[in-house]
Each structure stands twice: as structure tokens, then as C-alpha cells.
Amino acid sequence: MRRIKKRVLLESQKLLSKVNFLNIGKLTIKEAADALQNKEISVIELTEKFFDRIDNIDDKINAYVSICRKQALADAAEAQALINEGGGGIMTGIPMAVKDNICTETIETTCASKMLGNFKPPYTATAIEKLRNDGAVLLGKANLDEFAMGSSTENSYIKNTRNPWDVNRVPGGSSGGSAAAVASGQALFALGSDTGGSIRQPAAFCGIVGLKPTYGTVSRYGLVAFASSLDQIGPLTKTVEDSAIVLNSISGKDPKDATSIDSGIADYTEGIKRGVKGMKIGIPRQYLSGEIAVGVRNKIEAAIDSYEKMGAVCEETSLDLADYAIAAYYIISSAEASSNLARYDGVKYGFRSSNYKNLLDLYKNTRSEGFGAEVKRRIMLGTYVLSSGYYDAYYKKALQIRTLIKNEFDGLFKKYNCILGPTTPTTAYKIGEKTDNPLEMYLGDVFTVSVNIAGIPAISIPCGNDESGLPVGMQLIGSAFSEKTLFQAAYAYEREHPFAIAPEVQA
Amino acid sequence: MNYEVVIGLEIHVELATKSKIFCGCTTKFGGEINTHCCPICTSMPGTLPVMNERVVEFAAKAGLAMNCEIANFSKMDRKNYFYPDLPKAYQISQFDLPICKGGYVDIEIEGKTKRIGITRIHMEEDAGKLLHDQWEKGSLVDYNRCGVPLIEIVSEPDMRSPEEARAYAEKVRLILQYTGVSDCKMQEGSLRADVNLSLRPIGQKKFGTRTEMKNLNSFRAILRAAESEIQRQSRVLDEGGVITQETRRWDDDEGKSYAMRNKEEAHDYRYFPEPDLVPIELTDETINKYRESLPELSHERVKRYIHKLGIPEYDASLITASVKTADFFDDTVNSGADPKTASNWIMGNLMRLMKEVNTEDIPFGGEMLHELIGLIEKGAISNNIAKTVFAEMFRTGKTPLEIVKEKGLEVVSDAGELGQIVDKIISANSKSVEDYLGGKQKAIGFLMGQVMKETKGKANPPMVNKLLRDKLELLK
Amino acid sequence: MKISFETVEYVAGLARLNLSEKEKEMMVVSMSGILEYMDKLNSLDTEGVKPLEHVEPMSNVFRKDVVAESFDRDSILANAPDKEEGAFRVPKIVE
Ligand SMILES: [Mg+2]
Ligand SMILES: [Zn+2]
């Protein structure tokens, strides 16, 4: 082992001169993998470069809540050894960030909550295990809204993450740390989790690509549950192709997750470059009307024109139930959350209040002191809608509407290959701008939540910037297991409109 | 006033799987605290349950054995409440779509058959155990039991006396043991009953208010708790009071029950479908396969023993009262023993030994009893010696031959050796010898006994008899 | 639906949350606002619609009844805020 490391070190010194021309802010997984395989750079050098960048700029962005330098360098050495032997694949040596609600053995997994401030799981999430088996290198854990509840990462107990495009603005959420890390060049890609838009919305706000896979495609084992029937892990990347590459690594049936599925798709990058000629794209009129910012609407309309020029058939359609999705979503997700978060009681792990005389005190004080305001509000809402007398009026009703929403999507996918619209009604807002009104914050999820309710996949890709220079996100929605179609459509657009990098953060 | 008693039982039974319901940890009883645990059964964040297929099979088989309808579609639900023995703060159980519904069990009571309805049987996970530490300021939590698979069998309120409740519980246990889905070891708490009991004036249709007595883990406790609760409730009613619907805890040592501290929202369990587990669909084909694979149940065995093996009804019902003794009997007969001889040994010696050490387990197979019977029939050991050997087999699990050899218990059939002993006895008991010679045939019995005593029972009795008669004849 | 102060107290009890008087009052306001918004669902007729519990049309996902090695006790207890003699410790429980 030591010998391998020494050899690696020597080789990396030889390669040092070549490194400098790599702009890691712009670097993609694809490019990095090529450079690593061609020995233009070593894994250790690449990893060090990312740590240097984190050291230099993350105090301005606050993307990470913890860094695992030692483990990362050890993993990097191993990855390099593999490459030197002529082995490894596209993921070998690729540095990543992981949202801190995905469990990593012996590394703190906090969910950005006081409740789990010191929790070190004795196991690793399946998605991370798969990536590490493929050779990816974990740089650190990324910030989020506490227990993934929020849309701005302002609900983190640890710190506020800032948007690399404007540090006075939110990065979106709840995977805000993951999105900011990728957009600011502090990781080649990141994993996030998406319960109602938590990957796609921060991807849109930060000008990167975010995918919410079909429910069941990626194992949830090791993802700290928020709303079990809606949660999915997915990649945040700079490009569409990178998104497909990461999905290749993390997808698949997992015996540890009964709801995981074998999608039967061996390679998500296959056929990605086929173009959109003849593709039928539906645009629900509800997605371009109402409370949507002009800057966002303009960019989406321009994207529609662009698709037509590329040969797609774009057609206005209707998603009548879009209006009801938010209410149904907040009922279902809060109900499940109230149950999923009941285990944080100060007995087995995490925070325990020091103020108690008996068991009831211990429970109540631990939970009141350990959870933040938004988490408590969701627990209260969820407990209420499940409590006797209200179950039928709220919870059951929401599940019935879930059926109707799914049926409506099924109907649309008989006519269209995919559905297009904005990811969010506005671009990134100022930190503190919406914290006083939870309902207003919830309404920002209007375009994303119905996808989780129906269990279908959706991707958000950058589609230009608004008048203030902030990125606009375009969302493409497909039927269950149609990720390849989404990648194909998204790639076609990206080829015409290459992604832009956030302006350099002043160190 | 005279009241009619109305009793319904909820019986929780541990299933005989090797691993827990949602993870691979062992279900073995005992073990040091918190050593049969993993992140899943201790409910660490991010972990997920995966259903053990055996649990579904066993639950369905239990339902079939109790004449239930098995659901083609069934699902798991969450029952939410906080308690330290429940690490997720919800129990994965079944709410509106249990796996079995609408069955019955026939019990024998005062010589008559009575049918007790089964409302439902559902699958769920067991909780952990709280150890109340007297010298410490806190309670300790052990999660070894957490996630052990259970079925909960809910009866109709069809029982009308504590005796019926007891008979029903015993019958349920017997059925489950025969079906092989549970060993129902009461000492290990693998069968526990909650007794729901109410009184109503005779003739009244409407049920009275009921109380629930939790976690009774012996048949005696079921009987006594019900008797005590009848007394308590009639006293309250006679004094013009009302019964409060409540959960009570039975203290078997004191023979008294106590109302448990009433949590104000105790019954708002907020059940909802478990999103981490997919539904269970059993086709008619699968259900039939389960039905066909059900082993012979106790009443079927009673019939076979009487009609095919020619065993008296009394013997047959006694032997089938436990699946262990019934299986043992079958083994003994199948290895070639005479059925009546085998049943005599089981009802006499075996059951006495089992009772003495209070066990349901038999440490050797039926073929060993057959071997022992064979030794008697060959004349290698006497009946009396055989009883000693049997007790030793029960204690050590050794084979009859091993024990006979080790302890030198073979019958002495050496004519020379026995002749010397007989001579010794004759010369030492002149009175009896005279009696015999004087025509008292009975005196030879005494002399026989003395020889047997001298040889510690090892002498071959027919041989001793012949030697004695021959030698006494010479003295005439 | 508007919810009352008492309902907030009841629900907080169920959820084992200790809310201050001020927090309860704020909860009344924010929960009422959200629940009123949710009431828009009532304008949809869902008579006879089957509730969608699982988005995937899957059933019968089982594991075999095979014993796997349990975890080392120290790792199970490593995160416990209070432990004693190999067990998690809680305040004395009176039944
Ligand atoms: Mg139960
Ligand atoms: Zn376990």
C-alpha cells in the first residue's frame, strides 16, 4: 500500500505541469475521466485541487458542512493505483460531494440538524457504496435544509449556503449545499435528494443540471427519510451527460430497499445524442401562466422556439390538477415526515436534552430543543392530518388526488414524449426574503411537487439567465423510466446552449 | 346481581422464523442484551425494512389452520406511538387489510364443543424489552426482541367464562404448534394474551364497557386475571358504579390488577400505510399450496391413533395434547414399537419426567424409546431397570445401550453366579424356606424379592424363579 | 380549516413537542393558513377514487429467512446519549 502511494506521488509530481491548464470550475466528469485515464493528471492532484478550491472559496459559499480530506486522499491513492494498472472506469477518481442526509460510515451525517449533530452511522448508503465501488472520491458532506425540509437551505441548523451567482441570494434547497458545491467548482458532481423538488430547484437556482429519477430507480437505503413515498436520491452535475453517467453508477435494484426497482436500463448515456427530431413535447398552459416571473417565462418561451427549430413538435396542453399538487404534496409529505421523525427521541442516537426528570420530559424537551421551527411545523401538520377525525379529510383525500394526478400524467404521456416548463416560478431570491411566510415558500414548489407525487422522473437544466443575470431552470418531465428520453431531449438543448459557469467567487 | 361475562382475547404469538421480520438478526431467545441487533432493528436513520417471506407463509398457514379466509391483497401499516421499547416510535403492523379474516376455533368445554370466532390475524413486529433496574435511577432498554415476528390473533367476544378463555388459548396454542408456525414457549413469552372482558346483566343485548388486561403469559394467569376482573367489575356495578374503559396490568404474584397510567391520547395511533414496504398479494394457487402443506392437526391425529393404531381415546387425546409428545409417539411407533406399549411409556414415565422438570422438550427421539422397549422384550433388562434407564436418558440424552453398559445394568443370567446368590438367600431365610416346604407357595415370592434386592434388580427373574424352585425341591 | 389553540396543544402532545405559549400562537396562525390553503382540495370530487398508496405497481418483495450476523454491540450503542451495561438508558419508567 505504502509503495503504491509513493509511486503515485512521484507520478503526480511529474504531471504537475500539465494540471494548470485544467480549469476545474468548468471541468466535467467526462473531461476529468479522460484526463485521468490519459494520465494528464493524477487522482491525488485532482483531489488536492478540489480541496485547495474548497479552502479558498467555501467560506464565501458554505456549501460543505464537513470535509473528509484524509479518507479522500486514501481513496484517491487507491483509485490512482487502479488506473496505473490499466483498470478503473469513468467514475474512478472523480471527486464528489454528498448531501448530508445520506449516511456515510464513520463520517458524521447531520441532516443539518442539531438533532443529529454528532451522529456517525455504522453503515453507508447504497448509492454512495456504489459510487465508491466505482472509484468516486468523497470530498465532504454538503449543507441542506434541516432534514431536507425547505427550499432555500436557510433551514440548516449549521449555516446558510450562498448562491455562487450572487452570494446574497439563496442557492435553493433543500440540496442547496450540493448545488452550490457543483456550481462553484468545489466538486465534480454531487448527490442530492428530491422529495418535492429538492434537487431540481437548487439546480435551477445555481445554473446546473439536476435529475429526480423515477421512484425506485435509486436505492433509498441510507437516505435519512423525510417522506418515504416521495424521496429519491439523484445527481447534480454540470452537464446532461454527466447526469446520465452518475445515474449509471447509482441506479439498480437493492435488496435492502423493498421499493427499489431494476429499471432494465444498462446504460443511460446510450442514445443521448440522437436529437429531438419528431419528438412530441407538451407544454401545460398552467406552467406558463399565473405567478411566474417575466424573466423566467421569456427564457422558457425561447427554449420552446429552440426545440421547434431542432425539429421537435411542441404543443400547448393542460395539466388541470397542477393547482392541487402543492396541497396534496404538503399533506402527504408532512404526514410521512411526522412518523419518520418520531424516532428522534433522545434515546438511541443524536441529541438529548439535559433538561428532564421523567421520560415524557425527555421526549418533549429533546424534540423541542433538537428540531428547528420548520421541521416542527411539518411534524405538527403531519400529526394533525393523520390524527383521528382528520385522516379522511386530509390524508386520504390527498392520496385520492395523488391517483388523479398520476392518471392525468399517464394521459399526457400517451400523447407526448415529455413535458416542458420552468423548474421554478422565479430565479434565486435574496437570503431572508421568504423566511417569514412558510406558505409563500411552499408555493415556490408549484412546478416540481407533482412529479414526486406521480413517482415519475424530471430533469432541470440551465436555460439562460434572467435580466439580473441569474440562471433560469427548465424542467423536462417524463413517464416512469423514461430517463433516457429526458437525457436525449436535455442533451439536444444543451448542445445548442452550452452551460455557463458562475462568476468566480472572490477569494 | 347476576351478570353474563363476555370475553374476547387478543393473542400475540412469536413465529418460528430463524431471522427477524425486517432484518437478518437472529430470533434466538436469550443472548446478551443488545447483541441480536443491527441498524435496521434499532431503527437508525436511513435504514429500511424488508419483509421476511417466511412470516407471510406462517401467518397464512396459521390462518388456514384456524379456518380463516386468506386475503389475496394485504398490506402493512404504521402504528405510531412513543415508547422506549419501540425504537422507530411506530410499530409496523397491519390495520385495515390484515392477512387473515373471519375464522374459528372449536373448543371442548364441559364435554361439549363450542365454536369461538376469529375476527382477524395480522402480522407485526415485536418490541424490545425494558429492564427495570432497582438500584439504578433509570430503566435500561434491550432491543434483542425488537423486530421478532409476531402474529396477533383477535377473537370475537364469544367466550362466556374464564374457563372458556383458558380453553380457547390452549387450543390456539395447540393449533399453532401443530402447524409448525410457532413453538409457543410460554416461559419465553412467545405466546401472550390480552383479555378483553365486560359484564352485562343477563338478558341484556348490549355489551357492557370492557377493560383490557395486558400481556398475560400463562394459561393460569389468563384464568385468574379473568376471574379477578369479573369480581372487580361486579363489585363496581353492584355498588352502582360504572366501568371505565381502560388498560389494566395483572400482577400474577399478588393476584391483583392495576389500572395502567392513562395517557390522554393513548388511542390516537395515526395508522397509515407503510410506504417502505410494498403490498402482499397471494394468489389462490399460493394459498392452496399453503393449505396442502399444512401438517396433520391434533384432531386428525386423535382419529388416526384411535382408528389406525387401536389406541384408546383417552390415550390418544392425552398424547396429542402436545405436539412434542404426539411427534414422539409417532416416531416411536414408526420405528417399530407396539403402539399401546409406546403410549403407556409416554403417558406414564415420559409425561411425569417432563412435568418434574417443567419442560416441553424431549431430549431424544422416539426411536430411542423403541430401543429401550426392545431391551426389555429381549430380557436384557427388567422393567424396573428400564425406568431408571429412561430417567437417565431424559437427563443426559444418552442412548439406552450406552447407559445400560456404563452403569452395568445388564440382567445377570449367569446360572453359576445366580446359583450362589440363591444359595445364600436360602440359607439366610430359613423361616420362609420352611413355609414354602410346608406348602405356602407365596413364600417363594419373598425369596425372589430377596434375590432381586441382592442383585439390585439385575437378576433375570425367570431364571431366579427356576433356580429357587429347583434348589428348594432338593431340600424336600 | 382554522385550527384552535387547544388543537395545537393536543397535536403537540401527540408529537411529543413542548411548545411555548408564543410558539403555539404562531403555530395556530401558520398552520391555519396552510390548512386553509389545503382546503382547496375539497373543491375536487374524489368520490370513488382509490387512494394511491404506492406509486409503483409492485407487490411481494421479500427477503429469505436467513440469519445474518448482527452488528457489534459497541457500534449499536456508539451514538447513544446515555448507556449502561450494554443497554440504552432512559429515565425510570413507572407503568
Ligand atoms: Mg398488536
Ligand atoms: Zn437487526
Side-chain angles (χ1 to χ4, degrees):
Chain A
M1 190 65 199
R2 183 170 290 164
R3 247 183 45 219
I4 294 174
K5 272 189 191 157
K6 205 170 159 193
R7 205 173 69 209
V8 169
L9 213 67
L10 279 173
E11 287 195 27
S12 47
Q13 276 162 0
K14 255 190 287 169
L15 292 167
L16 208 66
S17 55
K18 285 192 179 178
V19 177
N20 294 325
F21 68 78
L22 283 175
N23 175 356
I24 69 165
K26 226 184 108 187
L27 193 65
T28 65
I29 295 176
K30 188 80 195 321
E31 292 162 359
D34 287 345
L36 290 171
Q37 290 291 337
N38 298 334
K39 313 256 174 94
E40 287 162 28
I41 187 171
S42 76
V43 182
I44 292 192
E45 279 172 327
L46 185 66
T47 308
E48 298 273 24
K49 273 213 123 201
F50 275 98
F51 281 129
D52 285 350
R53 187 156 174 88
I54 291 167
D55 290 344
N56 281 332
I57 68 162
D58 202 42
D59 58 341
K60 304 283 186 306
I61 302 292
N62 286 335
Y64 284 97
V65 294
S66 63
I67 296 294
C68 9
R69 198 179 299 258
K70 217 174 136 196
Q71 179 69 48
L73 291 173
D75 289 352
E78 234 175 89
Q80 187 61 47
L82 195 63
I83 291 173
N84 291 348
E85 287 160 18
I90 194 154
M91 269 307 176
T92 311
I94 302 298
M96 63 173 169
V98 167
K99 188 177 184 179
D100 205 24
N101 62 345
I102 306 177
C103 288
T104 39
E105 189 177 342
T106 71
I107 298 167
E108 277 166 7
T109 301
T110 67
C111 293
S113 177
K114 181 180 179 183
M115 190 59 100
L116 281 179
N118 52 3
F119 177 63
K120 284 187 183 160
Y123 47 92
T124 297
T126 301
I128 301 182
E129 203 117 77
K130 279 169 164 274
L131 283 165
R132 294 194 55 187
N133 286 343
D134 286 349
V137 175
L138 178 65
L139 299 172
K141 307 291 293 286
N143 199 16
L144 65 151
D145 284 298
E146 183 179 3
F147 284 103
M149 295 176 190
S151 312
S152 66
T153 315
E154 289 164 293
N155 295 332
S156 166
Y157 175 72
I158 302 168
K159 51 180 152 182
N160 275 354
T161 298
R162 291 161 182 277
N163 192 315
W165 292 81
D166 176 351
V167 292
N168 296 313
R169 292 179 186 267
V170 301
S174 62
S175 312
S178 298
V182 174
S184 60
Q186 299 189 76
L188 268 184
F189 75 96
L191 288 188
S193 67
D194 190 316
T195 306
S198 281
I199 289 174
R200 291 159 287 156
Q201 186 257 21
F205 278 14
C206 292
I208 59 170
V209 176
L211 173 78
K212 198 294 275 188
T214 306
Y215 186 81
T217 301
V218 181
S219 168
R220 291 184 294 117
Y221 189 83
L223 167 66
V224 179
F226 161 13
S228 315
S229 79
L230 305 162
D231 296 341
Q232 265 296 280
I233 291 175
L236 292 109
T237 55
K238 291 200 192 90
T239 67
V240 174
E241 191 174 18
D242 279 3
S243 188
I245 289 167
V246 178
L247 190 60
N248 275 346
S249 186
I250 61 177
S251 58
K253 168 87 195 152
D254 179 10
K256 289 179 183 161
D257 176 1
T259 64
S260 74
I261 306 174
D262 181 3
S263 68
I265 298 165
D267 181 5
Y268 285 95
T269 64
E270 188 263 328
I272 196 171
K273 297 174 183 172
R274 279 187 199 137
V276 290
K277 208 166 169 52
M279 198 180 263
K280 292 196 76 181
I281 300 176
I283 295 115
R285 71 178 66 91
Q286 291 82 356
Y287 280 13
L288 283 176
S289 56
E291 311 266 308
I292 168 172
V294 183
V296 174
R297 191 204 316 263
N298 290 344
K299 290 295 161 187
I300 298 300
E301 280 170 352
I304 295 169
D305 288 345
S306 180
Y307 269 113
E308 290 197 315
K309 282 200 194 97
M310 292 186 278
V313 182
C314 297
E315 209 174 273
E316 189 184 290
T317 182
S318 181
L319 201 55
D320 296 340
L321 294 168
D323 232 22
Y324 300 92
I326 290 186
Y329 168 78
Y330 276 92
I331 291 169
I332 296 166
S333 64
S334 302
E336 292 182 16
S338 72
S339 172
N340 283 330
L341 271 64
R343 68 185 62 191
Y344 306 107
D345 57 6
V347 175
K348 299 143 312 233
Y349 35 71
F351 172 74
R352 175 187 281 201
S353 168
S354 53
N355 169 28
Y356 61 89
K357 285 195 200 69
N358 54 39
L359 183 69
L360 195 62
D361 279 357
L362 167 68
Y363 281 162
K364 288 189 165 182
N365 293 335
T366 295
R367 292 168 60 75
S368 305
E369 295 164 29
F371 290 135
E374 182 58 27
V375 172
K376 283 189 233 179
R377 179 161 34 242
R378 307 272 183 119
I379 290 174
M380 289 288 291
L381 267 176
T383 305
Y384 176 77
V385 299
L386 287 175
S387 67
S388 80
Y390 299 102
Y391 182 93
D392 284 359
Y394 288 102
Y395 188 71
K396 187 176 166 209
K397 183 89 182 176
L399 290 185
Q400 288 174 313
I401 286 165
R402 191 173 193 180
T403 300
L404 299 178
I405 289 174
K406 187 171 185 297
N407 291 348
E408 192 170 33
F409 271 119
D410 287 349
L412 285 182
F413 292 123
K414 289 202 178 97
K415 284 192 275 182
Y416 305 107
N417 299 97
C418 63
I419 287 162
L420 184 156
T423 309
T424 56
T426 68
T427 52
Y429 39 85
K430 291 244 167 67
I431 290 172
E433 195 179 320
K434 293 198 183 181
T435 38
D436 289 343
N437 189 339
L439 183 56
E440 198 188 323
M441 188 84 92
Y442 295 177
L443 294 177
D445 300 336
V446 60
F447 302 132
T448 48
V449 293
S450 46
V451 164
N452 302 73
I453 287 180
I456 54 182
I459 192 167
S460 176
I461 59 170
C463 124
N465 296 47
D466 72 358
E467 60 286 354
S468 333
L470 296 167
V472 170
M474 169 170 65
Q475 180 176 229
L476 296 165
I477 305 171
S479 60
F481 305 109
S482 71
E483 277 86 348
K484 282 176 75 171
T485 309
L486 297 183
F487 287 138
Q488 192 182 328
Y491 185 88
Y493 180 84
E494 185 189 72
R495 188 159 50 187
E496 299 288 315
H497 311 268
F499 73 93
I501 329 163
E504 194 55 37
V505 181
Q506 295 310 308
Chain B
M1 212 205 280
N2 276 331
Y3 301 101
E4 185 183 31
V5 184
V6 176
I7 303 177
L9 254 57
E10 285 162 33
I11 300 183
H12 288 89
V13 180
E14 180 183 329
L15 297 176
T17 59
K18 293 189 179 70
S19 64
K20 292 187 179 181
I21 181 167
F22 302 126
C23 68
C25 290
T26 179
T27 54
K28 259 199 201 111
F29 184 76
E32 277 208 46
I33 52 175
N34 291 311
T35 55
H36 298 170
C37 296
C38 72
I40 298 168
C41 55
T42 54
S43 313
M44 291 201 194
T47 59
L48 297 170
V50 182
M51 186 68 153
N52 182 338
E53 64 180 353
R54 259 284 135 109
V55 172
V56 176
E57 181 189 332
F58 281 177
K61 281 183 174 171
L64 288 167
M66 293 186 218
N67 311 293
C68 290
E69 188 191 315
I70 310 303
N72 292 117
F73 183 94
S74 145
K75 69 174 169 78
M76 306 304 292
D77 299 278
R78 290 188 186 177
K79 179 183 183 180
N80 295 283
Y81 65 94
F82 287 87
Y83 207 61
D85 65 4
L86 189 68
K88 292 191 293 294
Y90 57 84
Q91 181 193 34
I92 303 180
S93 180
Q94 296 195 283
F95 183 49
D96 55 335
L97 297 173
I99 185 161
C100 315
K101 276 201 296 205
Y104 62 84
V105 159
D106 288 333
I107 59 170
E108 306 299 319
I109 196 89
E110 287 161 6
K112 275 186 253 158
T113 301
K114 179 168 175 176
R115 183 157 287 186
I116 308 295
I118 305 277
T119 317
R120 57 184 276 157
I121 301 177
H122 67 252
M123 306 175 277
E124 61 185 25
E125 56 181 331
D126 204 351
K129 210 171 134 191
L130 291 173
L131 310 160
H132 301 284
D133 204 329
Q134 289 163 346
W135 56 88
E136 272 295 344
K137 57 183 196 298
S139 297
L140 303 181
V141 195
D142 173 13
Y143 289 128
N144 279 354
R145 306 306 299 157
C146 210
V148 164
L150 304 178
I151 48 173
E152 181 175 333
I153 305 160
V154 182
S155 84
E156 292 290 315
D158 283 350
M159 286 152 273
R160 293 292 173 267
S161 70
E163 290 75 23
E164 287 186 16
R166 183 198 165 116
Y168 164 76
E170 284 181 340
K171 189 61 186 286
V172 165
R173 175 171 184 255
L174 198 62
I175 292 171
L176 295 173
Q177 286 180 330
Y178 271 88
T179 317
V181 306
S182 174
D183 51 21
C184 296
K185 285 189 183 159
M186 312 286 282
Q187 311 93 302
E188 297 179 6
S190 77
L191 186 151
R192 309 182 301 255
D194 302 343
V195 175
N196 291 302
L197 189 147
S198 66
L199 300 182
R200 62 180 169 192
I202 287 170
Q204 180 182 304
K205 273 254 165 63
K206 204 171 145 266
F207 288 139
T209 306
R210 70 190 164 95
T211 61
E212 185 178 9
M213 201 87 71
K214 282 267 187 209
N215 271 336
L216 303 166
N217 60 6
S218 75
F219 297 126
R220 196 178 97 105
I222 293 171
L223 189 76
R224 291 177 70 218
E227 281 167 350
S228 143
E229 184 59 8
I230 291 168
Q231 279 179 14
R232 192 191 68 86
Q233 286 192 18
S234 18
R235 203 160 45 233
V236 171
L237 293 173
D238 284 346
E239 286 164 4
V242 284
I243 305 296
T244 10
Q245 186 168 346
E246 64 190 357
T247 305
R248 302 182 67 83
R249 185 174 58 84
W250 172 251
D251 187 319
D252 206 38
D253 297 330
E254 287 186 52
K256 268 173 83 175
S257 70
Y258 299 90
M260 284 171 79
R261 260 197 326 160
N262 227 356
K263 297 158 219 149
E264 73 274 28
E265 67 289 312
H267 294 293
D268 205 338
Y269 289 128
R270 289 157 286 135
Y271 279 101
F272 75 101
E274 169 56 272
D276 289 330
L277 293 166
V278 299
I280 296 152
E281 289 188 85
L282 298 177
T283 59
D284 290 342
E285 206 186 332
T286 307
I287 296 167
N288 279 333
K289 207 181 73 200
Y290 290 157
R291 186 179 282 119
E292 278 153 23
S293 70
L294 277 184
E296 189 186 34
L297 298 179
S298 64
H299 62 275
E300 293 163 334
R301 286 214 209 178
V302 169
K303 267 191 221 149
R304 177 164 60 84
Y305 291 173
I306 296 170
H307 298 119
K308 291 229 170 105
L309 299 178
I311 293 291
E313 189 181 339
Y314 175 78
D315 293 29
S317 61
L318 209 63
I319 289 172
T320 53
S322 148
V323 70
K324 296 262 166 81
T325 49
D327 283 347
F328 185 82
F329 173 72
D330 276 338
D331 283 353
T332 312
V333 172
N334 288 341
S335 48
D338 168 60
K340 182 59 191 156
T341 313
S343 90
N344 285 345
W345 269 91
I346 290 167
M347 293 192 304
N349 296 299
L350 180 62
M351 287 185 179
R352 183 176 45 76
L353 288 166
M354 287 169 79
K355 208 168 174 185
E356 266 172 25
V357 290
N358 189 24
T359 182
E360 290 156 23
D361 294 323
I362 306 166
F364 50 85
E367 67 286 353
M368 288 295 120
L369 175 56
H370 174 229
E371 192 182 312
L372 183 72
I373 294 172
L375 289 178
I376 304 167
E377 282 168 357
K378 269 199 317 204
I381 51 172
S382 68
N383 235 318
N384 263 336
I385 290 283
K387 281 181 193 163
T388 317
V389 173
F390 193 69
E392 189 67 11
M393 286 161 68
F394 196 81
R395 206 173 60 77
T396 61
K398 286 184 182 162
T399 72
L401 260 176
E402 272 171 355
I403 294 166
V404 167
K405 286 227 174 88
E406 243 171 53
K407 306 222 156 185
L409 297 174
E410 299 96 332
V411 165
V412 180
S413 306
D414 181 308
E417 197 183 323
L418 280 181
Q420 281 175 19
I421 296 167
V422 168
D423 287 343
K424 195 174 136 198
I425 296 298
I426 286 175
S427 54
N429 295 280
S430 48
K431 174 82 174 55
S432 301
V433 172
E434 270 167 39
D435 287 349
Y436 177 78
L437 294 177
K440 276 193 183 167
Q441 286 290 322
K442 260 169 82 183
I444 200 161
F446 174 78
L447 293 168
M448 275 282 296
Q450 291 302 302
V451 175
M452 294 311 280
K453 203 172 159 191
E454 182 73 21
T455 58
K456 298 203 175 76
K458 293 189 298 184
N460 181 335
M463 202 171 225
V464 175
N465 195 298
K466 181 154 189 306
L467 278 171
L468 261 178
R469 283 183 197 279
D470 289 352
K471 287 187 191 277
L472 288 170
E473 205 57 39
L474 293 175
L475 294 177
K476 263 185 181 166
Chain C
M1 189 192 275
K2 269 213 156 41
I3 73 168
S4 66
F5 192 82
E6 290 69 34
T7 305
V8 164
E9 282 190 322
Y10 169 75
V11 174
L14 274 182
R16 297 291 185 271
L17 289 171
N18 227 348
L19 303 180
S20 67
E21 296 303 294
K22 190 161 168 263
E23 277 179 303
K24 285 178 203 162
E25 274 159 22
M26 282 166 57
M27 208 56 97
V28 168
V29 175
S30 70
M31 282 178 74
S32 293
I34 295 163
L35 289 167
E36 270 170 31
Y37 175 79
M38 286 170 175
D39 286 338
K40 76 191 294 177
L41 296 185
N42 293 332
S43 64
L44 269 183
D45 183 12
T46 52
E47 184 72 37
V49 175
K50 219 175 153 285
L52 184 62
E53 286 156 3
H54 292 91
V55 285
E56 317 162 278
M58 280 209 300
S59 60
N60 297 353
V61 179
F62 299 128
R63 42 172 282 270
K64 295 251 177 270
D65 182 25
V66 176
V67 175
E69 209 183 316
S70 288
F71 271 52
D72 181 59
R73 181 162 74 187
D74 290 343
S75 71
I76 293 298
L77 287 165
N79 288 291
D82 189 12
K83 55 193 160 188
E84 174 75 32
E85 293 167 20
F88 300 88
R89 185 160 61 182
V90 295
K92 185 116 197 135
I93 289 160
V94 229
E95 273 177 303

